[in-house]
Structures are given as structure tokens and as C-alpha cells.
Amino acid sequence: MLVTQVIANGLVLGGIYGCIAAGFSLVWGVLNIINILHGSLILLGAYIAFFAHQLFGIHPFMAIVPAAALLFVAGYLLQAVVINRVINATVLVTLTLTFGLNLMLDNAMIVAFKADFRKVTIEGARGSYEILGAALPADRVAGMALAVLIVVTLFLLLKYTRMGRAIVAVRMDRDAAALMGVNVVRTYALTFAIGAALAGAAGAILSMIFPISPTTSSVYLGKAFIVCVLGGLGSVPGVLVGGIALGLVESAGAVLLGPDHALTIAFLLLIVLLLVRPQGIMGRKGYQ
């Protein structure tokens, strides 16, 4: 029974973690930018959902659409106006830039929202599902289902739309894509905007499941980084695989060593995987 519960908790967490990391992986894989701002964008999406519920009574899952839309616009403008100026610079330059932007956004959220932990509470939403003897909170199961749906939608977008194929082409070979008529600058902006929108959607889901505070942005950034490396850089199926791997490891680690050491075990797993298979579980050599 304990093993079943651990696996069930890991799978539910894994689906949510996959959504957290999807935008981070996309931006890193296409723009070659390690977006330190990603964790703060997730929290900004969570606050949009929180205040949408507090002020207008909108369910956090319904707030996914406005949160994603607002962050899409913000992400597009941020990339086009600021980040695109250093897009051809070294990774250290873009890393420093997004780190600075992250500090600015974190401090702005602390001033605006304070550092108190908050969580959306829906009356009558409590409950659980029993699956093969394992009890799972209803909000986490619903959040996991939405998170997986969002990641699957991203996969279909990249595979079957003109914009998605342009993004994939730029990721594979920017110069060849430009010769074939792809507007690389616009594609970069769209990619960053999609990554920001995914962060906002993930934040809206998290607002109902975990307490939120501007001080926790680094936690979500760390999880996104681990999932991205575990699954394989730029691989959409990889973020689900990496998310499930992290969820299972954290769930098992929480039982064996306590919740405080679950993330430590995840980082140890990351180190081992980097030594054994640096391209990740679903990654391919040449696409690191």
C-alpha cells in the first residue's frame, strides 16, 4: 500500500512538474538562454490567479487563460525590446541579464504582494480520489490533468502548426531557417512569449495546490532546471518524463528521509544522470 501511494503521489507531482519545466526547456532549447526569470514568471501567474479569485471569484483553473495571455504579451515585449539586444552574446551575458530581471521582478512582487504565503481555497473543493488503494487529493489530480493537457497542447503546436515548425527549424539550425524564409527575430520573441505563457499557466495551477510567496521563485526555478536536464533539453515529451522522474524521486525521498531531504535526493539524481547520460533521458546528442 505504501509503495502504491508513493508511486501515485510521484506521478501526480510529475505531471505538474512537467508543466513547470515546459516553458523553461523550450526557451533554453531554442534561444540558448538559461532563463533565470522563469520561477518568478510562474509566481506572477500564480498571483494573477489568486487575485482573480479574490476579487472576481474566478476559479484558478479558469484563470489559466488570462494568466497565460498576460504573460504571453509581457514575454513577447520583454524578449523583443530587452533580451533580443544580447541574443547573440555568450550564455554568461544572457544569464546575467535574466538574473537581474529576476531580482527586479522578485523585489517588485515583494513590495506589491508582501512575502506572506498565500493559497487559493475553494469551498467544497476538498476531497480525494482512491486509485488502487492510494488516496490522492482531488485538487492535485485535477491540476495534474490540466498540466499534462497543456504540455500535450504544446507538443501538438510545435508539431502541426506553421509557427511550431518555424520554432523547431530555428532550434535545429538558425541560419538555414533564415535562408528558408523564417523570421528568426520574430520566432525568438514568440518562443519566449510561449515560454512565459506556459509559466503563467503553471502558476495558476500551483496557486490552488501549494502556498505561494515571492520568496519561493528559486524553488520552482530549481525544479524546472532539474526536470529539463533529466528529460532532455528542448524535448517536450522529455519534460513529462523528467517531471515524472523527479516526482517519483521526491515522493520516495520524502518517505525514506523526510520531506526536507527530498530535493537533495533529486539533485543527487541529477548529478548521476549528468555523469552517465548528459543529454538527458529523452535528449539526443547534438541537441544539448
Side-chain angles (χ1 to χ4, degrees):
M1 184 68 69
L2 179 61
V3 174
T4 303
Q5 186 68 55
V6 167
I7 293 174
N9 288 339
L11 291 175
V12 170
L13 279 176
I16 297 171
Y17 287 165
C19 186
I20 288 175
F24 183 77
S25 178
L26 182 68
V27 170
W28 191 357
V30 177
L31 277 71
N32 195 31
I33 290 177
I34 302 174
N35 184 20
I36 305 298
L37 189 62
H38 188 74
S40 295
L41 293 176
I42 290 174
L43 281 175
L44 187 57
Y47 275 110
I48 291 173
F50 176 83
F51 286 109
H53 178 259
Q54 291 289 101
L55 299 177
F56 307 109
I58 299 174
H59 194 284
F61 293 163
M62 296 296 293
I64 288 175
V65 175
L70 288 172
L71 286 181
F72 179 92
V73 174
Y76 189 98
L77 293 175
L78 181 63
Q79 201 285 331
V81 175
V82 180
I83 297 176
N84 193 59
R85 295 178 181 273
V86 296
I87 196 67
N88 294 319
T90 62
V91 173
L92 179 61
V93 172
T94 55
L95 184 71
T96 304
L97 175 61
T98 57
F99 177 74
L101 292 171
N102 178 66
L103 288 178
M104 293 173 61
L105 182 55
D106 266 356
N107 283 281
M109 287 193 293
I110 290 174
V111 172
F113 310 134
K114 310 303 179 186
D116 300 333
F117 282 87
R118 305 180 185 185
K119 183 175 180 291
V120 176
T121 303
I122 306 294
E123 294 184 6
R126 296 179 180 178
S128 62
Y129 297 111
E130 185 171 333
I131 303 173
L132 299 177
L136 296 171
D139 56 352
R140 292 198 179 194
V141 173
M144 182 270 290
L146 276 173
V148 172
L149 179 62
I150 289 169
V151 176
V152 171
T153 301
L154 173 63
F155 176 78
L156 296 176
L157 175 74
L158 295 176
K159 190 173 180 64
Y160 295 110
T161 67
R162 182 181 180 86
M163 178 180 64
R165 290 194 293 270
I167 291 173
V168 174
V170 170
R171 175 179 181 263
M172 289 182 173
D173 192 322
R174 180 184 63 182
D175 295 332
L179 290 173
M180 297 303 294
V182 175
N183 188 328
V184 175
V185 174
R186 181 172 176 270
T187 300
Y188 277 159
L190 283 172
T191 302
F192 196 90
I194 293 171
L198 290 168
I205 294 173
L206 291 172
S207 67
M208 188 174 168
I209 300 173
F210 301 112
I212 59 173
S213 166
T215 59
T216 61
S217 64
S218 60
V219 175
Y220 296 121
L221 175 64
K223 291 182 186 294
F225 188 87
I226 294 173
V227 170
C228 181
V229 176
L230 285 177
L233 180 58
S235 170
V236 177
V239 296
L240 284 180
V241 173
I244 290 172
L246 176 60
L248 290 172
V249 168
E250 281 196 2
S251 183
V255 172
L256 296 174
L257 300 177
D260 294 339
H261 300 288
L263 195 58
T264 303
I265 296 176
F267 274 107
L268 288 175
L269 174 64
L270 176 64
I271 293 172
V272 172
L273 187 68
L274 285 173
L275 293 174
V276 176
R277 187 176 170 82
Q279 69 268 30
I281 298 172
M282 299 287 289
R284 289 182 294 169
K285 289 185 178 181
Y287 286 85
Q288 298 93 327

